């Protein structure tokens, strides 16, 4: 007996058939533009080639096809890409597709390409009827894609009064125009002795340009991509340091040779430091990118011959100082004539750094180091405003001339730069970690005052024999504490500060106790690095998370033990005695500015910042300040005394490990008032030769 099928079964079958037909029609109609985009985004050019029609494949080989894409998209330096489908227009076996590529390029920024292509039905599949316009819109067979770059100016560095410290300059350049040379061997023989370059080196410089000339003369219809700058038609044979170029006679001889030119206007731009070695460590220097630097993401778009910051402010503020060149992406015909501009990205000059440095003070500090330190002495000077943290001068000795890095160095210059003893590239003001010695004694006294560990009126009366004191504590199993000169009168706080008595401050530290002393050192920032425009290492209280024994505690009380600190951080800490207990963050940079639309615009200004507030209470400051003045009038700092100048300060002498032949000689002092100034002199000297610090400090206060 026949049964009618149930209604829901019939409905299901009809829906299935309808969906199948619809899907079949859809797959039969839609072109695979999504596939093309995905392959392009992933730079999978061979897979794009599989999408081409048979006729297109006859017109272009796989290798040629992939090279064309790779040449263009590599030169553009595409970092990301998206697409938007605009429309698809089906006509018989053809489909015209219009879409937009949204491209982000490391060189060209963000730009849009309005693209179109035609798909053709082959064997029931859609294939691309490929044309060069699918590389870039408007491109035809035989066209050349070019990316031209025009350099912009790197930002410059100025002192507080507008004096240039690092600038862009042009130097004398001897170059060869390869298409004008008539006799290269004759040219090489004449130039070699004048330029002081081996003949083989000149020949090597010229060879790539002959190859380039030959290649440019080849008659080819290939779509190629060329990247060039304004100097691509020339080869630079030698650039000379500023004011050290060839003589007039040598210039005339070179200019008589066909193909040789001399440029003083634009060809070789250098980073020039007009004051030579002055402030070299802080400014730093620039140099060509090495392989590792070129591979960093922020440098991928830069030409390989780009100069970048290698040290100092040049390195730390590279991204602010860096200029952004102009780029123009064009389609040119096979003769080089420009047909169409695809993208133009306007360049931007780098930003200028305006420093707090006073060039006159900086020069004075550097000259004082040069004139007073022997070849066996090293050291640094810092001059700052304790109220604001503004750095007036910061100098390290020995120093170097950063202009050396713009050109090839002589062997003598290279040996000096790499001298392991002098270490002229080492910035002792920022990187040197030293025991603070007696400059830390006022801080120990401040801890004792605030914690009431030792009365201000306390007089030390325990037994001292041959300037050695042995603590009576049962934990003490060590040699005694030694002082280096007898303190006149009774051994109280004032005299101990004035004459820098180790025994008194070792005693105070023992009375304070290990935990309290350590905690106060942390309050002073002795376990961290003070924030600064350049990187500095962290100060150290001890090699562990605490002060391990009472011997280390006693030694720390007078600035030895395992205490280590940089001159910059110690100078800043000492400023708390002048600045009501607050430690200001030291600051080199005053502001960042840039030229834009013919105006000099402020980008960022840096206001004074308190790093540590109230590390010393007001009572301790009022107690200790007169004693710091007495150091200058009656004590170990008498050599810095100047009539009419109210200097407060502290001397210090620290040992370098177990080496008794050398020592660290410190002096830190300040004047308060309308024109506040703090001076910190830190010297590495042979033992007993540290008095030179007083000459330097006094002249800076004078």
């Amino acid at each position: 007996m026949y049964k009618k099928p149930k209604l829901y079964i019939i409905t299901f079958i009809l829906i299935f058939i309808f969906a199948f037909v619809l899907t079949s029609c859809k797959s039969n109609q839609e072109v695979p533009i999504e596939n093309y985009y995905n392959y392009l985004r992933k730079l999978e050019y061979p897979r794009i080639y599989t999408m081409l029609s048979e006729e297109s494949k006859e017109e272009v080989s796989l290798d040629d096809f992939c090279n064309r894409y790779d040449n263009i998209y590599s030169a553009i330096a595409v970092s990301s890409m998206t697409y938007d489908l605009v429309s698809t227009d089906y006509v018989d076996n053809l489909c015209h597709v219009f879409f937009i590529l949204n491209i982000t390029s490391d060189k060209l920024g963000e730009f849009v390409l309005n693209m179109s292509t035609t798909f053709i039905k082959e064997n029931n599949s859609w294939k691309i009827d490929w044309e060069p316009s699918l590389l870039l819109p408007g491109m035809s067979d035989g066209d050349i894609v070019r990316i031209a770059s025009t350099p912009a100016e790197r930002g410059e560095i100025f002192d507080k009064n507008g004096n240039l410290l690092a600038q862009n300059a042009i130097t004398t350049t001897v170059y060869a125009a390869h298409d004008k040379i008539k006799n290269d061997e004759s040219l090489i023989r004449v130039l070699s002795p004048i330029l002081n370059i081996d003949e083989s080196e000149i020949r090597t410089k010229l060879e790539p340009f002959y190859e380039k000339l030959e290649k440019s003369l080849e008659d080819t219809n290939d779509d190629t991509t060329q990247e060039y700058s304004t100097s691509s038609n020339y080869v630079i044979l030698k650039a000379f340091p500023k004011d050290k170029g060839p003589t007039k006679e040598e210039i005339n001889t070179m200019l008589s040779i066909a193909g040789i030119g001399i440029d003083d206007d634009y060809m070789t731009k250098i980073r020039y430091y007009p004051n030579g070695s002055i402030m070299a460590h802080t400014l730093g220097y620039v140099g060509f990118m090495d392989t590792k630097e070129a591979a960093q993401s922020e440098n991928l778009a830069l030409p390989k011959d780009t100069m970048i910051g290698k040290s100092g402010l040049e390195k730390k503020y590279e991204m602010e100082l860096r200029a952004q060149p102009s780029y123009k992406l064009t389609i040119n015909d096979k003769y080089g004539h420009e047909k169409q501009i695809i993208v133009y990205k306007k360049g931007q000059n780098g930003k200028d750094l305006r420093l707090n440095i006073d060039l006159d003070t900086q020069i004075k500090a550097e000259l004082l180091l040069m004139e007073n330190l022997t070849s066996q002495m090293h050291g640094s000077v810092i001059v700052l405003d304790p109220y604001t943290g503004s750095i007036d001068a910061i100098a390290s000795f020995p120093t170097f001339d950063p202009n050396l890095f713009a050109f090839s160095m002589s062997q003598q210059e290279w040996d000096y730069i790499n001298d392991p003893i002098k270490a002229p590239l080492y910035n002792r003001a920022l990187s040197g970690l030293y025991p603070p010695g007696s400059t830390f004694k006022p801080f120990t006294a401040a801890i004792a005052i605030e914690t009431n560990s030792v009365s201000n009126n306390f007089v030390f009366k325990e037994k001292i024999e041959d300037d050695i004191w042995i603590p009576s504590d049962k934990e003490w199993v060590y040699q005694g504490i030694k002082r280096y000169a007898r303190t006149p009168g009774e051994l109280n706080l004032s005299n101990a500060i004035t004459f820098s008595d180790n025994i008194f401050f070792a005693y105070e530290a023992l009375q304070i106790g290990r935990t309290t002393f350590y905690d106060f050192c942390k309050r002073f920032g002795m376990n961290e690095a003070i924030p600064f425009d350049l990187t500095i290492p962290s100060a150290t209280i001890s090699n562990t998370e605490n002060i391990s024994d009472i011997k280390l505690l006693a030694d720390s009380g007078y600035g030895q033990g395992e205490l280590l600190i940089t001159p910059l951080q110690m100078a800043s800490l000492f400023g708390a005695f002048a600045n009501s207990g607050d430690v200001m963050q030291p600051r080199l940079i005053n502001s960042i500015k840039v030229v834009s639309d013919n105006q000099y615009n402020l980008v960022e200004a840096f206001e004074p910042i308190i790093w540590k507030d109230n590390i010393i209470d007001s009572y301790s400051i009022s107690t200790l300040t007169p004693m710091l003045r007495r150091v200058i009038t009656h004590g170990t700092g008498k050599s810095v005394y100047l009539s009419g100048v109210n200097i407060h300060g502290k001397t210090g002498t620290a040992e370098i490990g177990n080496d008794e032949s050398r020592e660290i000689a410190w002096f830190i002092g300040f004047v308060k008032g309308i024109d506040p100034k703090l001076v910190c002199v830190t010297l590495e000297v042979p033992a007993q030769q540290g008095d030179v610090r007083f000459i330097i400090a006094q002249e800076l206060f004078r």
Side-chain angles (χ1 to χ4, degrees):
M1 182 177 180
Y2 174 75
K3 293 183 178 180
K4 291 184 179 181
K6 293 183 178 180
L7 183 61
Y8 73 85
I9 296 176
I10 297 172
T11 304
F12 175 80
I13 293 172
L14 290 173
I15 291 172
F16 177 81
I17 294 171
F18 177 76
F20 177 79
V21 171
L22 185 65
T23 304
S24 300
C25 293
K26 185 176 181 182
S27 62
N28 192 42
Q29 291 296 320
E30 283 192 349
V31 294
I33 187 64
E34 179 83 18
N35 291 347
Y36 172 81
Y37 160 71
N38 284 328
Y39 296 156
L40 180 64
R41 178 175 57 86
K42 297 176 183 178
L43 310 182
E44 295 176 346
Y45 308 130
R47 301 190 71 172
I48 297 177
Y49 190 77
T50 65
M51 299 178 67
L52 268 57
S53 68
E54 292 302 319
E55 184 177 348
S56 297
K57 289 179 180 178
E58 291 176 3
E59 295 292 327
V60 58
S61 69
L62 173 62
D63 286 345
D64 188 27
F65 179 85
C66 292
N67 286 336
R68 292 182 184 187
Y69 271 94
D70 187 56
N71 286 342
I72 291 175
Y73 283 91
S74 295
I76 293 174
V78 175
S79 57
S80 65
M81 180 191 304
T82 61
Y83 97 107
D84 297 304
L85 181 61
V86 177
S87 66
T88 53
D89 184 11
Y90 293 92
V91 180
D92 296 329
N93 287 330
L94 299 178
C95 181
H96 304 291
V97 181
F98 300 88
F99 61 100
I100 295 172
L101 284 180
N102 307 287
I103 294 177
T104 301
S105 160
D106 292 331
K107 290 181 179 177
L108 301 171
E110 297 181 357
F111 62 96
V112 172
L113 296 179
N114 294 303
M115 308 292 288
S116 66
T117 189
T118 298
F119 283 80
I120 186 170
K121 183 71 73 64
E122 284 186 356
N123 298 323
N124 208 34
S125 296
W126 288 109
K127 298 292 184 178
I128 298 174
D129 185 18
W130 190 84
E131 297 288 345
S133 59
L134 197 52
L135 289 166
L136 287 175
M139 193 169 178
S140 305
D141 284 330
D143 286 348
I144 297 169
V145 177
R146 282 185 173 172
I147 298 180
S149 63
T150 304
E153 295 289 332
R154 185 176 178 85
E156 297 181 313
I157 305 176
F158 300 83
D159 85 334
K160 66 191 296 182
N161 298 311
N163 296 304
L164 268 166
L165 303 175
Q167 67 181 108
N168 303 311
I170 305 297
T171 191
T172 299
T173 303
V174 179
Y175 66 91
H178 57 77
D179 55 343
K180 296 180 181 179
I181 297 173
K182 294 180 179 178
N183 189 327
D184 56 336
E185 287 303 318
S186 175
L187 174 150
I188 291 169
R189 284 195 300 272
V190 174
L191 290 184
S192 177
I194 296 176
L195 300 181
N196 194 25
I197 300 177
D198 290 339
E199 292 185 7
S200 60
E201 184 177 343
I202 301 177
R203 196 172 289 109
T204 300
K205 286 176 179 286
L206 293 175
E207 281 175 359
F209 286 84
Y210 289 129
E211 294 171 3
K212 183 175 181 180
L213 179 62
E214 291 170 3
K215 185 176 181 180
S216 68
L217 295 175
E218 292 176 358
D219 184 15
T220 176
N221 288 326
D222 289 346
D223 304 317
T224 59
T225 305
Q226 297 179 358
E227 184 168 2
Y228 67 94
S229 63
T230 54
S231 60
S232 62
N233 294 324
Y234 305 97
V235 55
I236 293 174
L237 300 177
K238 185 169 183 177
F240 288 85
K242 198 172 178 68
D243 303 324
K244 294 183 180 179
T247 65
K248 186 176 181 179
E249 292 75 14
E250 290 171 334
I251 290 174
N252 291 335
T253 300
M254 289 188 287
L255 290 178
S256 67
I257 304 171
I260 294 301
I262 296 176
D263 173 76
D264 289 312
D265 293 326
Y266 76 93
M267 189 166 286
T268 303
K269 295 185 177 182
I270 63 168
R271 193 62 158 179
Y272 180 60
Y273 304 91
N275 302 294
S277 64
I278 300 299
M279 210 182 165
H281 297 90
T282 302
L283 295 173
Y285 60 92
V286 300
F288 291 111
M289 289 189 296
D290 58 29
T291 304
K292 184 177 179 180
E293 290 165 334
Q296 294 171 355
S297 59
E298 65 269 23
N299 298 330
L300 290 176
L302 299 178
K304 293 180 180 179
D305 60 350
T306 300
M307 304 283 274
I308 65 171
K310 295 286 189 173
S311 71
L313 293 173
E314 294 279 24
K315 180 178 181 179
K316 185 66 179 289
Y317 286 83
E318 168 64 27
M319 300 312 294
E320 287 79 9
L321 292 165
R322 177 179 292 182
Q324 302 297 329
S326 297
Y327 283 104
K328 185 169 69 168
L329 176 67
T330 61
I331 297 175
N332 297 57
D333 64 23
K334 65 181 180 180
Y335 302 107
H337 302 134
E338 185 177 295
K339 290 176 54 179
Q340 181 181 347
I341 298 175
I342 302 297
V343 182
Y344 176 74
K345 180 187 177 185
K346 184 180 179 181
Q348 174 65 58
N349 289 333
K351 302 175 183 67
D352 293 341
L353 302 184
R354 294 275 175 164
L355 308 187
N356 289 317
I357 293 290
D358 178 79
L359 182 58
D360 290 339
T361 305
Q362 181 72 34
I363 291 173
K364 187 172 185 178
E366 303 247 14
L367 291 179
L368 285 167
L369 287 170
M370 293 178 195
E371 292 167 357
N372 290 283
L373 299 193
T374 69
S375 60
Q376 297 181 337
M377 297 178 177
H378 311 140
S380 66
V381 166
I382 295 163
V383 182
L384 59 79
D385 182 336
Y387 296 169
T388 65
S390 171
I391 303 287
D392 287 339
I394 183 166
S396 178
F397 180 86
T399 187
F400 66 97
D401 185 352
N403 291 306
L404 292 175
F405 291 90
F407 303 93
S408 298
M409 293 188 203
S410 67
Q411 188 60 49
Q412 183 179 5
E413 291 167 337
W414 181 255
D415 291 343
Y416 172 76
I417 288 293
N418 290 280
D419 187 316
I421 304 300
K422 291 185 175 65
L425 298 181
Y426 182 59
N427 190 340
R428 290 170 166 83
L430 301 187
S431 300
L433 279 170
Y434 306 108
S438 298
T439 62
F440 197 76
K441 289 174 180 174
F443 294 90
T444 300
I447 301 172
I449 293 170
E450 185 167 340
T451 59
N452 294 313
S453 300
V454 180
S455 167
N456 291 353
N457 300 321
F458 170 76
V459 177
F460 185 90
K461 294 183 178 180
E462 293 191 19
K463 181 181 178 181
I464 300 174
E465 189 172 344
D466 295 328
D467 289 322
I468 295 176
W469 168 61
I470 300 177
S472 58
D473 193 299
K474 63 182 180 180
E475 291 186 40
W476 192 272
V477 292
Y478 313 97
Q479 293 182 344
I481 303 296
K482 180 178 177 60
R483 65 182 182 187
Y484 290 91
R486 179 171 297 180
T487 297
E490 61 183 15
L491 187 48
N492 57 22
L493 178 59
S494 180
N495 282 336
I497 288 279
T498 303
F499 301 102
S500 202
D501 196 300
N502 287 351
I503 291 174
F504 189 90
F505 295 99
Y507 174 84
E508 281 203 325
L510 293 175
Q511 299 307 305
I512 293 166
R514 284 181 286 173
T515 301
T516 301
F517 188 89
Y518 189 89
D519 289 344
F520 266 82
C521 286
K522 287 174 64 176
R523 179 166 126 182
F524 299 155
M526 287 294 296
N527 64 328
E528 55 188 303
I530 193 168
F532 190 53
D533 306 88
L534 298 173
T535 302
I536 67 172
S538 175
T540 301
I541 303 171
S542 68
N543 298 334
T544 60
E545 293 298 317
N546 54 50
I547 297 177
S548 56
D549 56 61
I550 61 171
K551 175 65 165 64
L552 184 58
L553 175 61
D555 291 343
S556 299
Y558 55 88
Q560 287 280 173
E562 294 172 350
L563 292 175
L564 293 173
I565 192 168
T566 62
L568 177 68
Q569 188 160 336
M570 193 63 213
S572 299
L573 285 183
F574 209 87
F577 288 103
N579 191 37
S580 303
D582 293 340
V583 181
M584 303 304 296
Q585 179 177 320
R587 180 75 76 182
L588 271 173
I589 310 293
N590 176 275
S591 61
I592 299 176
K593 297 187 175 183
V594 67
V595 176
S596 180
D597 298 326
N598 296 319
Q599 291 185 329
Y600 203 33
N601 298 317
L602 177 67
V603 176
E604 186 174 6
F606 299 95
E607 299 298 327
I609 297 175
I610 296 175
W611 178 49
K612 301 284 185 183
D613 64 321
N614 197 34
I615 67 164
I616 304 169
D617 65 24
S618 58
Y619 179 71
S620 298
I621 290 175
S622 64
T623 301
L624 294 170
T625 300
M627 300 176 190
L628 296 177
R629 173 57 181 163
R630 193 161 175 259
V631 170
I632 306 301
T633 58
H634 294 83
T636 54
K638 284 191 299 184
S639 297
V640 183
Y641 176 83
L642 285 171
S643 178
V645 183
N646 195 24
I647 303 170
H648 299 70
K650 187 71 189 74
T651 61
T653 302
E655 297 175 353
I656 309 174
N658 296 319
D659 184 1
E660 296 183 358
S661 66
R662 294 183 67 79
E663 62 190 27
I664 306 299
W666 290 85
F667 175 82
I668 309 179
F670 60 82
V671 292
K672 300 195 291 184
I674 300 175
D675 186 20
K677 179 187 294 185
L678 183 144
V679 172
C680 176
V681 182
T682 314
L683 306 180
E684 305 168 30
V685 297
Q688 308 301 317
Q689 295 186 29
D691 285 356
V692 66
R693 63 190 139 163
F694 302 133
I695 298 172
I696 296 170
Q698 187 185 59
E699 287 302 314
L700 287 168
F701 279 118
R702 190 178 297 278

